[in-house]
């Protein structure tokens, strides 16, 4: 869990926030662009609990909240294929039978797969957007790991990480 914040933000001046009922979903495995199921609802509820514990009030987006909370889940799978084109003389290494024929062996292909997953949380300043006509992220949390959005164990890890991100951010409170 990594957190960061805008050092110029005065967090105790914000009172209200809005949050979507879905999580943005970015993946190279599907065209799906949001995550909406029981697990995503549980993560959003955990975030709402942390915001309430820090005295922020949830309101509708149409009621002009001070803050917007944005969640994004990223899941990418990358494969790496390498090829070793060299032949080895097994008789030199003591007949280890590394390849397909004696006394020589083939190099070969090696395939590796990497999963990159992360849950990103952003708190955006809406209160001051009218002043400078820009939306500014004033707090973020990046939760990384080998998450798959389909298991109860991974959900429990994500919920603990959401709590940890708020524990790391004692300044993220209103009066």
């Amino acid at each position: 869990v990594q957190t960061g914040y805008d050092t110029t933000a005065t967090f105790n001046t914000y009172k209200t926030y809005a949050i979507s009922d879905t999580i943005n979903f970015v993946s190279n495995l599907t065209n799906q662009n949001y995550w909406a199921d029981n697990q995503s609802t549980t993560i959003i509820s955990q975030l709402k609990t942390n915001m309430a514990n820090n005295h922020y009030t949830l309101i509708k987006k149409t009621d002009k909240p001070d803050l917007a909370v944005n969640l994004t889940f990223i899941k990418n799978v990358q494969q790496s294929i390498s090829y070793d084109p060299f032949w080895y003389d097994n008789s030199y290494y003591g007949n280890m039978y590394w390849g397909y024929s004696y006394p020589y062996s083939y190099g070969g292909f090696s395939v590796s797969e990497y999963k990159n997953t992360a849950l990103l949380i952003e708190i955006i300043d809406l209160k001051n957007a009218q002043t400078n006509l820009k939306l500014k992220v004033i707090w973020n949390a990046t939760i990384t790991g080998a998450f798959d959005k389909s298991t109860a164990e991974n959900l429990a890890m994500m919920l603990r990480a959401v709590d940890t991100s708020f524990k790391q951010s004692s300044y993220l409170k209103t009066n």
Side-chain angles (χ1 to χ4, degrees):
V1 176
Q2 284 186 305
T3 55
Y5 68 100
D6 179 351
T7 57
T8 64
T10 310
F11 289 94
N12 64 359
T13 63
Y14 303 100
K15 307 294 181 202
T16 60
Y17 76 99
I19 187 170
S20 174
D21 58 352
T22 61
I23 297 175
N24 298 314
F25 187 74
V26 178
S27 177
N28 65 346
L29 303 174
T30 181
N31 290 332
Q32 176 185 346
N33 58 8
Y34 65 92
W35 176 18
D37 63 12
N38 290 338
Q39 290 186 336
S40 65
T41 300
T42 303
I43 293 168
I44 293 167
S45 293
Q46 190 75 10
L47 193 104
K48 288 177 181 178
T49 298
N50 279 281
M51 291 295 284
N53 289 343
N54 289 344
H55 309 289
Y56 292 100
T57 303
L58 175 63
I59 65 172
K60 294 177 185 176
K61 186 169 96 173
T62 56
D63 293 335
K64 299 186 179 183
D66 296 335
L67 302 169
V69 179
N70 187 47
L71 289 107
T72 304
F73 186 78
I74 299 170
K75 180 178 182 179
N76 289 319
V77 175
Q78 298 172 351
Q79 290 185 341
S80 170
I81 300 173
S82 60
Y83 175 69
D84 184 355
F86 298 103
W87 290 64
Y88 299 97
D89 180 349
N90 287 341
S91 62
Y92 178 79
Y93 293 103
N95 265 347
M96 294 174 142
Y97 298 101
W98 287 356
Y100 298 106
S101 63
Y102 176 79
Y104 298 103
S105 66
Y106 293 105
F109 288 97
S110 174
V111 179
S112 300
E113 185 174 279
Y114 304 94
K115 285 184 180 179
N116 298 316
T117 56
L119 178 65
L120 309 176
I121 306 168
E122 298 171 310
I123 296 181
I124 301 161
D125 179 355
L126 299 178
K127 182 179 181 179
N128 297 309
Q130 298 302 321
T131 306
N132 57 21
L133 301 176
K134 292 182 182 178
L135 293 176
K136 186 175 186 181
V137 175
I138 59 171
W139 181 84
N140 66 12
T142 304
I143 300 166
T144 58
F147 301 125
D148 184 344
K149 67 179 185 118
S150 62
T151 67
E153 181 181 335
N154 285 328
L155 177 62
M157 286 190 300
M158 282 191 265
L159 296 176
R160 283 193 305 271
V162 168
D163 290 344
T164 298
S165 67
F166 279 84
K167 287 176 186 170
Q168 287 177 297
S169 306
S170 59
Y171 50 84
L172 186 57
K173 292 183 179 177
T174 190
N175 292 336

